[in-house]
Amino acid sequence: MRFEKWQALGNDYVIVEHDALPFELSPARVQELCAPHTGIGADGILELSRTDEPGFVAVLRIFNPDGSEAELSGNGAREAILYLRRAGWTDQAQFSIRTAAGELRPTILSDSTCRVDMGRARDEGTGEIAGFRYQQVNVGNPQCSIRLPSEADLASIELTEVGPGIEHDPRFPNRTNVSFWTELAPDRIRARIFERGVGETASSGTGACGAAVAHALRGGDSPVTVVLDGGELEVDVGDDLHIDLTGWAEPVYAGELSPELLARLASLS
């Protein structure tokens, strides 16, 4: 079983092609593959399948390291998109892929950069949680965006303490991603992300989008640069909340699973 490992702003995924898999990706197998010491180690698995759907190059499934399936990942989608181009699935600069959140329409800008039409976000209202005011938006997956007054406030937040309670709050029946952010300039914000099924992460494309939409709804400029622990992403939020996400992704290495790991995975259900 061959695979490639990619990363985008430190957010790393293992990419596999469905036709090359010797078994289905069950939650237990995903957890084993993502394990840092006994598996490959990754923030998730990207599974690419061929499709006969007109205009579409591939179907992308995204798995979190806890085995759950995510509707969308901005960083993961860019990694999959640039992998498709690099692996020869398409030679087009513009094409479409299908995800659980719907169609994504990327434009290849270079060998390592692309702009992705993420579709239109939904404003799902505001409220108060864990002592914070939040803006809930959906960018293909749920995002709870919380604005803080300053960089010092943002740096002092213990994400591993406050994140799980918000992620699993009953008002979010499918769990939610959480982004804490603060404004650096009208067109620049700093964000820290607690991702559903992952925990605190150096980068999240959809988390950046959620923070950018919340920023735009407060009257902030667009496009906005979102500064994350792993680097920067540019998010263009239209007046109708249509999102374009621009950033880079690159391969880390290609590999092949050992017979021992394959046997261990095959024994799992």
Side-chain angles (χ1 to χ4, degrees):
M1 175 182 156
R2 293 194 58 77
F3 66 90
E4 287 194 16
K5 185 173 181 178
W6 283 60
Q7 66 97 5
L9 284 73
N11 199 190
D12 62 322
Y13 281 87
V14 170
I15 301 179
V16 295
E17 297 184 11
H18 175 79
D19 290 347
L21 290 174
F23 37 63
E24 294 298 315
L25 288 179
S26 67
R29 288 169 179 150
V30 169
Q31 290 174 28
E32 187 68 25
L33 284 167
C34 291
H37 302 297
T38 57
I40 300 169
D43 288 328
I45 306 292
L46 306 175
E47 181 191 88
L48 289 166
S49 302
R50 297 186 183 274
T51 177
D52 295 328
E53 188 175 359
F56 286 80
V57 169
V59 175
L60 170 63
R61 296 181 70 190
I62 303 166
F63 296 91
N64 294 318
D66 66 356
S68 61
E69 189 165 356
E71 302 93 337
L72 189 59
S73 163
N75 288 331
R78 289 200 317 285
E79 292 169 32
I81 287 160
L82 291 165
Y83 170 91
L84 290 168
R85 177 65 176 266
R86 189 183 182 100
W89 286 46
T90 180
D91 60 0
Q92 300 299 306
Q94 294 182 310
F95 53 90
S96 291
I97 64 172
R98 176 73 65 192
T99 72
E103 179 182 5
L104 294 184
R105 296 174 294 276
T107 300
I108 304 295
L109 303 176
S110 74
D111 289 343
S112 60
T113 308
C114 65
R115 180 176 63 250
V116 185
D117 178 345
M118 303 283 285
R120 185 177 176 182
R122 297 197 308 270
D123 177 359
E124 298 188 338
T126 61
E128 186 170 320
I129 192 167
F132 302 101
R133 292 291 300 174
Y134 72 88
Q135 170 74 57
Q136 188 70 16
V137 300
N138 191 298
V139 298
N141 60 20
Q143 300 287 333
C144 182
S145 296
I146 298 171
R147 180 183 179 273
L148 297 177
S150 70
E151 285 189 83
D153 293 307
L154 183 62
S156 69
I157 288 289
E158 295 291 342
L159 291 191
T160 56
E161 293 182 9
V162 300
I166 299 174
E167 175 190 355
H168 294 278
D169 189 276
R171 75 193 79 181
F172 309 125
N174 296 317
R175 299 188 295 167
T176 188
N177 302 285
V178 189
S179 57
F180 288 91
W181 62 277
T182 191
E183 183 178 299
L184 303 178
D187 63 349
R188 191 173 179 87
I189 63 176
R190 172 80 171 93
R192 295 178 62 200
I193 310 295
F194 188 90
E195 196 163 40
R196 179 184 58 169
V198 179
E200 184 174 3
T201 181
S203 172
S204 167
T206 54
C209 290
V213 170
H215 172 70
L217 287 170
R218 292 178 58 89
D221 289 353
S222 179
V224 58
T225 298
V226 183
V227 182
L228 302 159
D229 290 341
E232 298 181 0
L233 291 170
E234 182 178 280
V235 186
D236 193 342
V237 183
D239 291 340
D240 61 352
L241 300 187
H242 195 98
I243 301 171
D244 285 302
L245 173 65
T246 302
W248 59 268
E250 62 184 18
V252 178
Y253 60 84
E256 185 175 296
L257 296 190
S258 69
E260 292 81 2
L261 180 53
L262 271 175
R264 193 160 74 245
L265 291 167
S267 71
L268 300 172
S269 56

